[in-house]
Amino acid sequence: SQKIEQNSEALNIQEGKTATLTCNYTNYSPAYLQWYRQDPGRGPVFLLLIRENEKEKRKERLKVTFDTTLKQSLFHITASQPADSATYLCALDGGTGGFKTIFGAGTRLFVKA
Amino acid sequence: NAGVMQNPRHLVRRRGQEARLRCSPMKGHSHVYWYRQLPEEGLKFMVYLQKENIIDESGMPKERFSAEFPKEGPSILRIQQVVRGDSAAYFCASSQPGVAGFYEQYFGPGTRLTVT
């Protein structure tokens, strides 16, 4: 069955460094991959969408890569700030022609001042 | 431009009662998704609807759960005869329509259901 894996361990980094989060998937080939941010007690907020024919996409301090051979996406936050501390969710389309979206469990990021 | 609205924000029900969760999508959005999130777990897809039409309900439990998105009014997620295992945060998201069928989703604040 389709599976998405994100590092369940929290990532702790120092302010100003680059945070890199990983999303791996197995058993299917999604057409789209998205990253969301979720703060405690709130709904996820869309950050970036990348399509299968795109290798990389950037938005301000954010960069996403999508390697369909490795079945992996990397999410980078450069010049990280304490305000970037949150849980980051990877999401893929169901890959079957339907409209289901499959979310990973998320990776919690802590940026220390 | 108001975002996705959900109500109530918190809902307490006793075992066996019914829970009704409401979602109003963003203006201009005619597609609605419902998700369930348990503590320390990811979002689990439940159902995808367009106005007056269920598109994909592959994530919905076969019994006690139903969803609708009428021509007028909000989308409703209905849980009959709730059990303690239904306690979770339920999120609604909306997206714009389009032939590609997959756009970024805008989430509401969620409804936290507690079954006592």
Side-chain angles (χ1 to χ4, degrees), chain A residues 32-34 36 38 40-46 49 51 89 92-93 98-106 108, chain B residues 9 33 35 37 40-45 48 50 55-56 58 91 100-110 112:
Chain A
Y32 304 86
L33 188 148
Q34 300 183 9
Y36 289 80
Q38 187 173 25
R42 309 190 73 162
V45 175
F46 170 78
L49 180 152
R51 294 178 169 81
L89 308 174
L92 291 85
D93 69 277
F99 298 94
K100 177 177 5 183
T101 306
I102 302 173
F103 279 81
R108 192 170 296 181
Chain B
R9 293 292 306 277
Y33 300 76
Y35 296 89
Q37 187 173 39
E40 305 303 321
E41 292 189 15
L43 291 160
K44 301 298 183 188
F45 168 84
Y48 170 60
Q50 295 176 1
I55 304 301
D56 186 336
S58 57
F91 289 97
F102 196 73
Y103 292 86
E104 61 266 30
Q105 297 174 33
Y106 294 85
F107 282 80
R112 278 145 189 85

Side-chain angles (χ1 to χ4, degrees), chain B residues 5 7 21-25 34 51 68-70 72-76:
Chain B
M5 297 171 65
N7 66 81
L21 288 63
R22 287 176 290 277
C23 169
S24 296
W34 284 96
K51 287 277 187 182
E68 62 176 8
F69 191 12
E72 300 292 336
S75 175
I76 306 287

Side-chain angles (χ1 to χ4, degrees), chain B residues 4-112:
Chain B
V4 177
M5 297 171 65
Q6 289 187 252
N7 66 81
R9 293 292 306 277
H10 300 274
L11 182 61
V12 180
R13 285 287 178 266
R14 292 183 178 178
R15 278 179 297 170
Q17 291 184 320
E18 178 180 287
R20 279 187 178 235
L21 288 63
R22 287 176 290 277
C23 169
S24 296
M26 282 182 69
K27 187 176 181 181
H29 287 187
S30 58
H31 294 198
V32 165
Y33 300 76
W34 284 96
Y35 296 89
R36 176 164 60 179
Q37 187 173 39
L38 294 169
E40 305 303 321
E41 292 189 15
L43 291 160
K44 301 298 183 188
F45 168 84
M46 299 182 74
V47 62
Y48 170 60
L49 310 104
Q50 295 176 1
K51 287 277 187 182
E52 301 184 281
N53 199 11
I54 296 175
I55 304 301
D56 186 336
E57 57 180 347
S58 57
M60 286 276 274
K62 298 298 181 197
E63 297 178 351
R64 301 189 299 109
F65 285 73
S66 63
E68 62 176 8
F69 191 12
K71 185 177 181 180
E72 300 292 336
S75 175
I76 306 287
L77 178 66
R78 183 182 177 202
I79 311 173
Q80 295 178 291
Q81 300 175 330
V82 295
V83 300
R84 286 209 173 121
D86 296 333
S87 296
Y90 291 83
F91 289 97
C92 165
S94 72
S95 70
Q96 59 180 318
V99 291
F102 196 73
Y103 292 86
E104 61 266 30
Q105 297 174 33
Y106 294 85
F107 282 80
T111 293
R112 278 145 189 85

Side-chain angles (χ1 to χ4, degrees), chain A residues 15-72:
Chain A
E15 182 178 11
K17 300 293 186 183
T18 296
T20 298
L21 288 72
T22 304
C23 174
N24 294 298
Y25 58 93
T26 56
N27 297 331
Y28 75 126
S29 298
Y32 304 86
L33 188 148
Q34 300 183 9
W35 284 88
Y36 289 80
R37 168 185 173 142
Q38 187 173 25
D39 291 285
R42 309 190 73 162
V45 175
F46 170 78
L47 296 174
L48 281 167
L49 180 152
I50 187 167
R51 294 178 169 81
E52 61 177 339
N53 61 347
E54 299 176 312
K55 297 296 184 186
E56 180 180 298
K57 185 163 278 190
R58 294 175 183 260
K59 178 182 177 183
E60 298 174 350
R61 294 185 295 113
L62 309 179
K63 185 178 84 171
V64 171
T65 63
F66 192 6
D67 189 325
T68 55
T69 301
L70 293 178
K71 294 186 180 294
Q72 180 183 78

